[in-house]
Amino acid sequence: MALVECQLARVVMSETQDTHVVTLKEKDGERTVRIWIGLWEVFAIHRTVNNEPPPRPLTHELFGSVLDALNVQIERIVISELRGRTYFGRLILRQDGQTFDIDSRPSDAIALGAGTETPIFVEEAVLRDVAN
């Protein structure tokens, strides 16, 4: 399973439709992946990317604070699979030399990692199947 490093290239939040999209772009290439996400997830990612903190922590910020308090680092985000029209992801966490592989919706993982330098990877097979 080859991983391709990508970066968050675009966040589109529609005000008139329930169509919100995160676009990931291959870091050393031209391929892109569009992931349709929910309103709350796009809101969280958009605010984080634009450095607009909410007045109170949102769920991903709370989880990030818990990870910090427990000295857990987010090593990477992996978009691992596409089943039907649903993407699946994983958070790879590290604490005291131990690695944890946690099932995650890609949008939640991206919201959690958006405010940091957390690398995002997409499985080559997924990228090959959906890349624009």
Side-chain angles (χ1 to χ4, degrees):
M1 295 191 288
L3 296 176
V4 177
E5 189 167 4
C6 293
Q7 55 197 20
L8 183 59
R10 191 169 182 201
V11 180
V12 177
M13 184 167 49
S14 174
E15 293 181 16
T16 59
Q17 301 176 23
D18 192 24
T19 330
H20 315 289
V21 180
V22 168
T23 302
L24 303 177
K25 182 185 174 297
E26 188 176 18
K27 192 169 184 180
D28 295 322
E30 295 300 318
R31 297 180 291 179
T32 61
V33 176
R34 287 189 205 141
I35 301 174
W36 278 259
I37 63 176
L39 175 63
W40 297 112
E41 293 81 8
V42 76
F43 177 72
I45 294 167
H46 185 266
R47 287 188 78 127
T48 301
V49 167
N50 290 296
N51 198 24
E52 299 170 356
R56 299 287 298 142
L58 299 174
T59 304
H60 73 280
E61 293 161 329
L62 169 64
F63 186 61
S65 295
V66 170
L67 292 177
D68 288 343
L70 297 174
N71 197 31
V72 176
Q73 295 79 42
I74 305 171
E75 193 170 277
R76 67 184 174 274
I77 296 164
V78 178
I79 311 304
S80 56
E81 188 177 354
L82 176 64
R83 276 190 245 153
R85 295 165 63 194
T86 302
Y87 287 92
F88 290 78
R90 301 188 326 264
L91 272 175
I92 309 303
L93 307 175
R94 180 171 297 282
Q95 181 188 43
D96 299 328
Q98 190 172 3
T99 301
F100 302 92
D101 187 330
I102 309 296
D103 182 30
S104 174
R105 295 186 314 171
S107 57
D108 291 333
I110 292 168
L112 186 60
T116 67
E117 305 261 332
T118 304
I120 302 171
F121 292 89
V122 177
E123 293 278 356
E124 174 63 42
V126 173
L127 194 57
R128 186 177 50 246
D129 288 346
V130 301
N132 295 321

